[in-house]
Amino acid sequence: MSDDRTHVVSDYVGSVFRRGREPMEPIGFSPDWEDQPSRHKTYLGVRRFPLPPGIGLPLAGAADVLFGEPPADQGPPWTIDSLAALLRLSYGVLDRRLRVSWNQDSHVRVLYPEALWGRGTASGGGMYPLEVYWVAGAGGPLTPGVYHYSTAHHSFERLLAGDLTDQVRAACESGAGAGAGLGEADGFLVVTVRFWKNSFKYNSFCYHVVTQDAGALLGSWELIARGMGRRVNRVLWFDDERLDRLLGLDTEEECALAVVPLSFGLPVGRRTDSADPVDRGGLIDRPSFERSARTRTFEQIEQVHRAVLADRRERPEPAVARGLVPVARAGGEDVVLPEPLTDRLGPDVGETLRSRRTSFGSFTRSRPLRLDELATVLAGTVSGQRYFSDVVPEEVGLTGLYVLANRVSGLPSGTYRYDGSGHRLRVVSEMPLAEKLQRSYYLSNYNLEQVGAVLAISGRWRSTLDAYGSRGYRVLNSEVGAVAQTAYTAAAALGVGCGAVLGFDNIAIDEWAGLEDGDERTFLFVLLGHERADSADFDYWLD
């Protein structure tokens, strides 16, 4: 490692990977569910601007989005309707979920105060700790200003009137160097994380989870944008603290993780004069509602967060990413996979995201996962493997994909590496996995013996830290989350059950995948299989 900052991040990632055998601090921690934070951040004393419903806008089919070529350019200008659809279908409230499942909290979900409201994007533990801000410029459909997306109301809460887009642009360019990928944007979506909304449950493990959550949201935006014939850039390099001050955030409690520039293509009106919040100490002082009577911080989160913030190096050249792509090891037989079942995929990608849900304990071995179904999910999933270069027209994936086949018809039980370019599996080791999977999973919300297959998303984490510095951890986890969200979407479109989990013994999975040597490690796991036909459910979709 190059310095103390990356050493801090390296120690944290190592403790994450070992947590199945060595619990992370604080030992014996138990969440205070009676004092948990609100699932929706709301600001006090602000005016809300309702958005269009965001549902019903015609989008391309899931097959075209997952398997078609991405748009060659940014596509048509954005509108208030398309922006509303992007937000609602990804992070807005879509339905109430009351399925009887193996999840430990199912019995309280019948009570309205404990209701679980579903969203299109997956989130670790269903915590949804991310916030979305819209910095509107003079060329957009709204009065220039800074807005917070209220997920509870599907509306914008205006925090400040005035055009601060130049400040966002400056924060991005100072963090990334020349060519920050901002184009002609006249507005910016800023994704932030409020740590307490996740750490109250996951304590020190929080930073690992929320940086993958950010990737899942960005992955959803990419899918929805493709469904509209557009593409979105992800800006992951910026001056964090400058951007946080602009949004009125305390960086220790809530900080920016990504910026997405959008262009509305409208005539630019008169700009509103605004002071530089960096020089003036911040312009937004609106308070937000805090449900928890007591909040706390966790030392490991603070350490890794500060290490990332302190690493001020500019984004490396795009060519660096090509040297970080996981490479399959030589040897091993190849299994050529069937062509994807594109004709079996469901409706447009918006409806697919609305139907996405987690298959807690619902898998059954009575109907094994078919090889062509596994092949379809794999081929769709790799479209999420991309560290997008906004300087040259090139997309490079920083992640690898392994298959732990348990009950897949036509495929012996064992571990395989997926080669997306050749659409084939390379045999790592054939062995019975049912008992091994169950022993290596330390939660009780799944019976792994019933699962058809486990997808393990991997990355070369030490090499990424060496190349990108401390921020490389967030960059890599961002792609991991996006890949998991794409897998969810492909499975939902095909009608296959799916569930992303972190509760595995990473060390055991790495051994089965042949990753004992080198720096490639598994980060996140996606369970696939068919569900029981007699699951009790509750149909409560919101329009």
Side-chain angles (χ1 to χ4, degrees):
M1 294 299 146
S2 59
D3 55 32
D4 290 341
R5 295 183 294 267
T6 50
H7 187 71
V8 168
V9 177
S10 177
D11 286 347
Y12 177 79
V13 178
S15 69
V16 166
F17 290 158
R18 295 190 304 271
R19 76 192 185 285
R21 304 183 181 191
E22 302 173 18
M24 298 178 71
E25 297 287 346
I27 306 298
F29 174 84
S30 180
D32 183 357
W33 293 102
E34 296 300 319
D35 196 38
Q36 63 178 292
S38 171
R39 299 294 173 91
H40 306 277
K41 181 177 182 179
T42 56
Y43 281 85
L44 305 177
V46 297
R47 183 179 176 184
R48 292 196 185 99
F49 297 85
L51 289 167
I55 294 174
L57 197 69
L59 303 179
D64 293 332
V65 170
L66 292 168
F67 297 99
E69 290 294 325
D73 52 29
Q74 302 303 312
W78 288 81
T79 66
I80 191 64
D81 289 310
S82 57
L83 176 60
L86 187 76
L87 296 173
R88 178 76 184 282
L89 292 173
S90 61
Y91 227 56
V93 175
L94 298 175
D95 59 13
R96 183 178 179 184
R97 297 184 176 176
L98 197 57
R99 175 183 290 186
V100 178
S101 73
W102 282 29
N103 213 22
Q104 294 92 330
D105 58 3
S106 293
H107 66 289
V108 302
R109 295 307 181 192
V110 297
L111 304 175
Y112 189 81
E114 304 293 336
L116 178 65
W117 300 98
R119 310 192 199 191
T121 300
S123 175
M127 297 293 98
Y128 295 100
L130 305 178
E131 304 296 334
V132 180
Y133 295 83
W134 171 239
V135 183
L142 298 175
T143 299
V146 179
Y147 300 81
H148 170 253
Y149 176 54
S150 174
T151 54
H153 307 93
H154 185 53
S155 64
F156 277 142
E157 299 174 324
R158 188 165 66 196
L159 308 181
L160 177 74
D163 190 345
L164 297 187
T165 52
D166 282 349
Q167 307 302 334
V168 177
R169 190 177 296 273
C172 291
E173 291 176 346
S174 65
L182 306 179
E184 299 300 320
D186 44 25
F188 299 92
L189 290 171
V190 183
V191 179
T192 71
V193 58
R194 185 165 179 260
F195 292 113
W196 178 241
K197 285 178 69 175
N198 182 282
S199 64
F200 89 92
K201 177 180 179 181
Y202 288 113
N203 53 82
S204 299
F205 187 43
C206 161
Y207 200 88
H208 190 70
V209 181
V210 299
T211 47
Q212 292 182 359
D213 276 0
L217 178 56
L218 294 172
S220 281
W221 284 354
E222 177 66 24
L223 293 168
I224 297 167
R226 288 187 184 185
M228 299 175 182
R230 300 177 171 91
R231 70 183 303 163
V232 290
N233 285 5
R234 314 169 187 177
V235 180
L236 304 177
W237 298 80
F238 41 78
D239 185 334
D240 305 70
E241 292 169 295
R242 179 173 186 171
L243 198 53
D244 294 342
R245 285 196 297 272
L246 184 149
L247 299 175
L249 306 178
D250 181 339
T251 300
E252 295 291 323
E253 298 178 358
E254 182 177 342
C255 75
L257 293 179
V259 176
V260 173
L262 301 180
S263 177
F264 284 80
L266 298 176
V268 177
R270 184 179 63 85
R271 295 178 61 88
T272 303
D273 183 37
S274 59
D276 187 335
V278 175
D279 296 334
R280 297 284 294 276
L283 298 175
I284 297 175
D285 59 358
R286 301 287 190 178
S288 60
F289 171 72
E290 175 56 76
R291 181 184 181 277
S292 298
R294 175 178 176 265
T295 63
R296 61 174 293 185
T297 58
F298 298 90
E299 184 178 1
Q300 281 184 293
I301 298 176
E302 292 180 320
Q303 289 175 345
V304 69
H305 182 42
R306 289 169 182 165
V308 173
L309 294 178
D311 201 330
R312 297 288 187 175
R313 74 190 72 188
E314 292 186 353
R315 177 189 55 194
E317 291 298 316
V320 173
R322 291 196 293 271
L324 301 174
V325 179
V327 179
R329 300 186 179 185
E333 297 181 0
D334 286 343
V335 178
V336 179
L337 293 172
E339 289 299 309
L341 302 171
T342 54
D343 58 336
R344 272 191 50 192
L345 298 187
D348 73 54
V349 71
E351 292 302 301
T352 300
L353 286 170
R354 292 190 72 183
S355 66
R356 184 211 64 82
R357 61 176 65 241
T358 298
S359 302
F360 292 116
S362 299
F363 292 114
T364 178
R365 67 179 182 178
S366 63
R367 185 184 168 195
L369 187 68
R370 290 182 3 209
L371 186 58
D372 54 1
E373 293 172 328
L374 173 63
T376 303
V377 175
L378 287 170
T381 297
V382 295
S383 67
Q385 286 182 314
R386 70 185 202 93
Y387 171 64
F388 179 65
S389 167
D390 41 41
V391 181
V392 296
E394 176 183 25
E395 297 175 2
V396 176
L398 300 179
T399 54
L401 200 58
Y402 290 81
V403 176
L404 286 74
N406 182 41
R407 298 188 183 278
V408 180
S409 58
L411 187 66
S413 179
T415 58
Y416 303 80
R417 191 186 194 282
Y418 179 61
D419 172 12
S421 61
H423 188 51
R424 59 190 175 185
L425 296 175
R426 174 159 292 179
V427 179
V428 176
S429 177
E430 293 185 7
M431 58 181 168
L433 282 178
E435 187 177 344
K436 291 178 179 290
L437 288 171
Q438 192 61 54
R439 285 204 310 265
S440 67
Y441 187 69
Y442 46 82
L443 300 178
S444 60
N445 54 1
Y446 285 100
N447 181 349
L448 272 296
E449 197 272 341
Q450 305 279 329
V451 170
V454 178
L455 308 186
I457 306 169
S458 68
R460 296 177 57 199
W461 71 286
R462 290 189 185 276
S463 296
T464 303
L465 288 181
D466 285 339
Y468 289 168
S470 300
R471 189 176 299 269
Y473 178 41
R474 292 197 334 203
V475 171
L476 181 55
N477 252 351
S478 175
E479 184 174 311
V480 169
V483 170
Q485 178 65 20
T486 310
Y488 256 121
T489 306
L494 189 60
V496 169
C498 184
V501 299
L502 283 157
F504 273 112
D505 178 355
N506 289 68
I507 297 174
I509 301 294
D510 291 343
E511 290 174 353
W512 305 339
L515 299 178
E516 303 98 319
D517 302 324
D519 70 335
E520 185 179 1
R521 293 291 182 268
T522 54
F523 276 68
L524 181 62
F525 310 93
V526 179
L527 312 181
L528 298 174
H530 287 290
E531 299 181 353
R532 295 166 55 101
D534 58 351
S535 297
D537 210 340
F538 179 63
D539 185 0
Y540 193 90
W541 281 34
L542 301 176
D543 292 323

